[in-house]
């Protein structure tokens, strides 16, 4: 799931971002919770909902398939409780559009989660929405009346920070420039990576008169682009200057979703439009 790209000085070909959407770093961290216990993770479990022999064997019991508008075959369980609940120990849920839409919990979700916990199942919640940190998502679960421990939550803001930590970005002495919201900044704070941009650049307008130019920090070694409700031309220009002019600068996208669910009334343009810009 990772496309790795960095810039060499004055090479102005189209940059491809490192896409953190369900990155190997987040999945590695998640896999760790399934194979070992630590201060951050719950006790290990023997089977996960993905790549599980129990689930593979269940697939043979599907009686029919349905086809979505995107022409993808969707497997349909004949006996969900028998095929899934009896054979799976760990369930992994997406959040936006699965657990909630906007600030509203999806009907039926509380009872489903309560039943799984009553059966002793372990659960993890993953989201490629970077606007919140893991701590921020914990607060959102709480506000919806869902009792979800922080160690069960994995976000793309965390994945971006995990990537920088595992590649020892802090040791380079470089900074990160952030197009995005508080979630990315909170995760960077936890690993001690200095940054600029983010909400502080909301409302800024670059000088665009004759002979004007936008000054940028030559010590930026990574540009992180996450969903940003205050995206503007200053941020886009600053980011592209760092990517194209700073040697070795990495371009990291938390996700490339075409749409997102800001409210439960309609779909909204997603982070893909910002990464593309």
């Amino acid at each position: 799931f990772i496309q790795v790209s960095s810039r060499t000085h004055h090479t102005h070909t189209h940059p491809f971002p490192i896409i953190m959407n369900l990155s190997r770093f987040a999945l590695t961290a998640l896999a760790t919770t399934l194979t070992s216990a630590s201060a951050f993770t719950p006790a290990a479990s023997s089977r996960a909902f993905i790549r599980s022999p129990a689930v593979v064997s269940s697939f043979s019991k599907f009686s029919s398939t349905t086809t979505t508008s995107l022409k993808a075959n969707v497997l349909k369980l004949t006996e969900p409780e028998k095929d899934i609940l009896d054979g799976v120990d760990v369930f992994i849920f997406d959040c936006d559009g699965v657990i909630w839409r906007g600030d509203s919990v999806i009907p039926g979700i509380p009872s489903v989660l309560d039943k799984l916990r009553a059966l002793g199942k372990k659960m993890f919640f993953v989201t490629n929405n970077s606007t919140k940190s893991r701590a921020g998502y914990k607060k959102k679960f709480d506000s919806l009346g869902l009792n979800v421990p922080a160690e069960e939550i994995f976000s793309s803001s965390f994945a971006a920070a995990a990537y920088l930590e595992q590649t020892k970005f802090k040791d380079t002495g470089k900074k990160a420039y952030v197009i995005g919201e508080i979630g990315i900044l909170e995760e960077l704070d936890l690993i001690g990576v200095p940054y600029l941009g983010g909400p502080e650049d909301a409302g800024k307008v670059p000088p665009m008169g004759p002979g004007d130019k936008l000054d940028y920090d030559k010590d930026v070694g990574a540009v992180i682009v996450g969903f940003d409700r205050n995206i503007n031309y200053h941020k886009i220009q600053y980011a592209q200057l760092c990517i194209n002019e700073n040697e070795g600068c990495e371009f990291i996208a938390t996700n490339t979703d075409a749409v997102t669910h800001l409210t439960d009334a309609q779909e909204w343009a997603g982070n893909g439009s910002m990464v593309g810009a």
Side-chain angles (χ1 to χ4, degrees), residues 91-114 116-117 123-128 137-148 152-154 261 264:
F91 289 79
I92 301 175
F93 293 91
D94 191 9
C95 294
D96 292 317
V98 176
I99 302 298
W100 58 65
R101 287 193 182 91
D103 292 321
S104 301
V105 66
I106 291 177
I109 287 297
S111 60
V112 168
L113 300 186
D114 287 345
L116 291 176
R117 291 201 188 279
M123 293 179 283
F124 294 95
F125 302 84
V126 299
T127 175
N128 55 15
Y137 276 110
K138 167 60 177 168
K139 291 179 181 178
K140 178 158 187 175
F141 277 104
D142 290 345
S143 72
L144 296 174
L146 302 175
N147 183 23
V148 174
E152 294 181 355
I153 302 168
F154 291 82
H261 300 93
D264 55 6

Side-chain angles (χ1 to χ4, degrees), residues 58-59 75 85 99 124 130 142 144 188 230 268 273:
S58 295
F59 286 168
L75 300 173
L85 293 184
I99 302 298
F124 294 95
S130 65
D142 290 345
L144 296 174
L188 292 179
N230 292 296
W268 298 74
S273 63

